[in-house]
Amino acid sequence: EVQLVESGGGLVKPGGSLRLSCVASGISFSNAWMNWVRQAPGKGLEWVGRIQTESDGGTRDYAAPVKGRFTISREDSKNMLYLQMDSLETEDTGVYYCSTLTRWGQGTLVTVSS
Amino acid sequence: DIVLTQTPLSLPVTLGQPASISCRSSQGLVYSDGDTYLSWLQQRPGQPPRLLIYKISHRFSGVPDRFSGSGAGTDFTLKISRVEAEDVAVYYCMQATQFATFGQGTRVEI
């Protein structure tokens, strides 16, 4: 069974940082391009960014609203995906999903508020 | 950036009747490998998204055959042949040809 399990969400003040994690099981993680997708409360889905496999070059791409503030990384030996979020803004509030774009985790809630 | 526009945004349906959602892309979605990476997702209340259809018309594992996808170029459609109560959800089209973007979502309600 494929499972993607996110963790690390919580309440953080504007300007603060947070690191999200996602552990994968049931998939060949090292062969998967991994994505982060977020959903603001009551809103639609927004792609945050992705990381290619190491064999494909490991390139990271980001959506414009998060470029320069968020960093995606992976640790294939542990089947782990990470999202380092710095300089957080209130607009970053939402549920963050780890996804292969075919499989989705349950999400972790990030709230940016003073 | 590729923009996906869904219509309608709200779709009242009758149980047992068909339903249809359209998705129009701001540009063609054919990737360099010849495939078109247009998918449809279902998100039930309080749940994460779930993949229904990939590459325009391929049903994902475990998806009932009352769901079907079609289209080409920049115009795509998701059809539900006979709506069931469990189909109440928000449906998104998604393109993964150029990074990823999503339509605004269509709320299907009884």
Side-chain angles (χ1 to χ4, degrees), chain A residues 39 44-45 47 61 97 105-106, chain B residues 43 48-49 51 60 92 99-100 102:
Chain A
Q39 187 168 36
L45 300 169
W47 181 76
D61 297 291
Y97 296 103
Q106 290 293 317
Chain B
Q43 188 174 32
L51 180 66
F60 194 55
Y92 296 91
F99 305 126
F102 301 88

Side-chain angles (χ1 to χ4, degrees), chain A residues 12-20 38 48 62 65-72 83-92 96 110 112:
Chain A
V12 62
K13 288 182 167 52
S17 296
L18 208 57
R19 188 198 198 203
L20 306 184
R38 68 185 180 183
V48 171
Y62 300 95
V66 308
K67 201 167 188 178
R69 300 188 298 123
F70 289 11
T71 302
I72 298 174
L83 179 65
Q84 176 67 40
M85 303 186 293
D86 299 319
S87 303
L88 282 161
E89 304 168 353
T90 55
E91 293 80 11
D92 296 318
Y96 284 71
V110 172
V112 184

